[in-house]
């Protein structure tokens, strides 16, 4: 028992010494500000220390053991206990405020600016709606009723900010799923699926604008998705270039004897022109991005970036035309016979 008594006395001396220190945060003074916004790091700090939370627990433990708590310590404990619930809520709000930028998708931050500023305005000007205060009076611990009103106001703006952030993150996730799907959709065979997927993205941006998000604030987010679409399109574009000769629509060619000679119908040069009119190569130039007019186009450069793939196309095309001419030569010995071919 002597050891416990010695520990209690040491604890009492330490706490009383801390309470006599004007810089100590172990007690709440009636005129102490509830919180401060650090202008250096921009973090919100609640003036209810973790040491005070520990003090409440220690006072309860020593009291349960039957030790007489000095009046000054008991008073500090009672004051701390009186505002404990509000302090915990405020600490949660402060943590949310200090970490919300980490919870936001970087390209969406401009879209969240108005809600973030509204939150900050309540923090910096707790009485901003009070005529007599002029927005200059700080919330202190001496008015529990006023503190409750202020906490409710803080929670309201924090919830709006959190709700909008969750909504935008959900849109971002949905867009991710759509673009990943497009990356695996054959651009040669399923152009309509690409058109539908792109329209879904454009509809999403239009929906958010209709809900009040400014087009200028969405610029960074749109550009993010333009770049993701570029990656998906280029993947399918490169795949399509490699398989273009195998997947082009059939060109029907007749080999006939006409005007005293064997010839193709349609004529050979027209067949070549028809083959190279395939518009797949120029798709990036026709690609409708999710940007608004005037923003930097990024898809047109894809053709030049993949020009090396055209050599394969032209090489394989020439092989096909050589085969076609070989077929013509094979039938010269049997002039007058009709031959039907597919290129």
């Amino acid at each position: 028992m002597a050891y416990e008594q010695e520990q209690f006395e040491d604890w009492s001396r330490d706490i009383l010494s801390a309470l006599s220190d004007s810089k100590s945060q172990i007690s709440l003074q009636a005129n102490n500000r509830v919180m401060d916004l650090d202008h250096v790091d921009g973090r919100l700090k609640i003036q209810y220390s973790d040491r005070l939370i520990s003090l409440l627990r220690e006072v309860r433990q020593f009291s349960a053991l039957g030790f007489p708590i000095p009046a000054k310590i008991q008073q500090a404990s009672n004051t701390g206990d009186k505002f404990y619930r509000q302090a915990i809520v405020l600490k949660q709000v402060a943590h949310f405020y200090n970490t919300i930028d980490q919870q936001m998708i970087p390209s969406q931050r401009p879209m969240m600016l108005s809600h973030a500023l509204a939150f900050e305005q309540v923090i910096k000007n707790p009485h901003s709606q009070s005529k007599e205060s002029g927005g200059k009076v700080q919330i202190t611990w001496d008015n529990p009723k006023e503190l409750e009103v202020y906490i409710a106001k803080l929670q309201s703006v924090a919830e709006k900010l959190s709700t909008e952030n969750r909504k935008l993150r959900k849109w971002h996730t949905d867009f991710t799923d759509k673009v990943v799907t497009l990356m695996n959709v054959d651009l040669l065979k399923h152009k309509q699926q690409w058109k539908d997927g792109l329209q879904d993205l454009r509809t999403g941006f239009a929906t958010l604008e209709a809900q009040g998000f400014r087009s200028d604030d969405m610029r960074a987010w749109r550009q993010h998705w333009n770049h993701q679409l570029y990656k998906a399109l280029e993947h399918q574009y490169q795949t399509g270039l490699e398989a273009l000769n195998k997947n082009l629509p059939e060109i029907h060619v007749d080999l006939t004897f006409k005007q005293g000679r064997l010839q193709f119908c349609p004529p050979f040069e027209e067949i070549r022109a028809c083959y190279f009119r395939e518009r797949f190569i120029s798709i990036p130039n026709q690609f409708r991005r999710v940007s608004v007019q005037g923003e930097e186009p990024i898809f047109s450069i894809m053709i030049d970036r993949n020009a090396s793939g055209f050599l394969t196309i032209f090489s394989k095309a020439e092989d096909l035309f050589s085969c076609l001419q070989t077929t013509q030569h094979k039938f010269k010995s049997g002039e007058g016979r009709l031959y039907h071919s597919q290129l």
Side-chain angles (χ1 to χ4, degrees):
M1 189 66 180
Y3 174 76
E4 286 83 353
Q5 182 64 39
E6 182 180 347
Q7 292 297 308
F8 172 71
E9 291 175 356
D10 288 344
W11 172 81
S12 297
R13 281 194 297 271
D14 290 342
I15 299 300
L16 289 171
S17 175
L19 290 174
S20 63
D21 185 353
S22 60
K23 296 181 180 180
S24 172
Q25 295 183 344
I26 202 171
S27 66
L28 297 179
Q29 301 297 324
N31 61 349
N32 278 355
R33 291 194 300 271
V34 168
M35 59 188 179
D36 286 310
L37 189 62
D38 193 310
H39 297 294
V40 176
D41 59 16
R43 295 178 65 82
L44 183 63
K45 299 178 181 179
I46 304 303
Q47 301 304 321
Y48 190 105
S49 70
D50 292 338
R51 183 65 188 92
L52 178 54
I53 294 176
S54 298
L55 176 65
L56 303 184
R57 182 174 62 254
E58 292 164 2
V59 167
R60 286 194 297 269
Q61 291 172 343
F62 279 120
S63 295
L65 292 173
F67 288 100
I69 307 300
K72 191 173 182 179
I73 298 178
Q74 187 65 60
Q75 181 181 3
S77 175
N78 291 342
T79 303
D81 190 58
K82 179 180 178 181
F83 293 102
Y84 176 78
R85 184 184 63 81
Q86 292 96 328
I88 295 302
V89 173
L90 286 170
K91 282 179 176 289
Q92 292 170 348
V93 172
H95 176 74
F96 172 76
Y97 177 82
N98 294 334
T99 61
I100 184 60
D101 62 322
Q102 302 168 29
Q103 301 173 40
M104 292 181 187
I105 293 169
S107 60
Q108 290 182 336
R109 287 175 184 170
M111 302 170 65
M112 297 292 296
L113 183 60
S114 61
H115 292 284
L117 289 176
F119 189 11
E120 189 172 292
Q121 182 67 17
V122 174
I123 291 171
K124 290 182 175 179
N125 300 293
H127 290 285
S128 58
Q129 297 180 347
S130 173
K131 294 181 179 179
E132 60 274 12
S133 66
K136 298 179 180 179
V137 178
Q138 293 286 338
I139 296 293
T140 58
W141 295 106
D142 62 345
N143 192 328
K145 184 176 180 180
E146 184 181 57
L147 182 58
E148 286 289 343
V149 171
Y150 181 57
I151 289 175
K153 188 189 299 185
L154 273 177
Q155 287 179 308
S156 176
V157 292
E159 181 58 30
K160 287 180 181 178
L161 182 59
S162 180
T163 298
E164 289 300 296
N165 190 47
R166 287 195 301 269
K167 179 173 73 176
L168 290 181
R169 290 183 70 92
K170 177 63 166 58
W171 276 102
H172 193 82
T173 299
D174 290 346
F175 282 6
T176 299
D177 293 341
K178 292 181 187 299
V179 173
V180 169
T181 298
L182 287 178
M183 183 171 280
N184 296 290
V185 172
D186 192 314
L187 189 58
L188 271 170
K189 298 178 180 179
H190 304 292
K191 291 181 182 179
Q192 188 58 48
Q193 283 185 244
W194 269 86
K195 291 179 180 179
D196 293 343
L198 291 171
Q199 185 56 46
D200 287 344
L201 264 64
R202 284 191 285 269
T203 298
F205 280 100
T207 299
L208 289 171
E209 278 197 60
Q211 293 176 1
F213 288 95
R214 296 174 63 250
S215 178
D216 285 348
D217 293 340
M218 290 196 285
R219 184 185 299 271
W221 195 41
R222 279 197 306 270
Q223 282 299 87
H224 170 83
W225 283 111
N226 277 331
H227 286 285
Q228 304 316 305
L229 284 169
Y230 184 98
K231 296 173 188 177
L233 179 66
E234 186 169 51
H235 170 69
Q236 280 300 323
Y237 187 62
Q238 292 171 344
T239 302
L241 288 176
E242 293 174 3
L244 186 59
N245 289 287
K246 297 178 181 179
N247 292 286
L248 282 175
E250 290 182 344
I251 301 174
H252 296 277
V253 181
D254 291 328
L255 185 60
T256 63
F257 185 73
K258 187 177 181 181
Q259 297 177 344
R261 64 189 180 88
L262 198 62
Q263 56 186 290
F264 292 114
C265 183
F268 186 75
E269 290 306 317
E270 187 174 326
I271 296 170
R272 288 179 62 92
C274 180
Y275 184 91
F276 286 113
R277 271 200 302 268
E278 168 56 39
R279 299 176 66 187
F280 180 83
I281 292 176
S282 64
I283 280 180
N285 280 336
Q286 306 157 14
F287 201 75
R288 289 184 59 201
R289 57 193 184 278
V290 295
S291 299
V292 296
Q293 187 174 5
E295 290 186 358
E296 177 188 2
I298 64 171
F299 296 103
S300 58
I301 65 173
M302 190 180 300
I303 296 176
D304 290 338
R305 283 168 55 98
N306 291 275
S308 60
F310 303 158
L311 298 177
T312 301
I313 294 174
F314 295 138
S315 175
K316 291 182 178 179
E318 291 305 321
D319 291 342
L320 285 175
F321 293 132
S322 295
C323 289
L324 188 62
Q325 289 178 318
T326 299
T327 299
Q328 184 185 39
H329 294 318
K330 285 171 55 178
F331 282 87
K332 279 186 177 181
S333 59
E335 291 183 354
R337 293 170 59 187
L338 178 64
Y339 179 73
H340 176 76
S341 177
Q342 292 181 343
L343 181 62

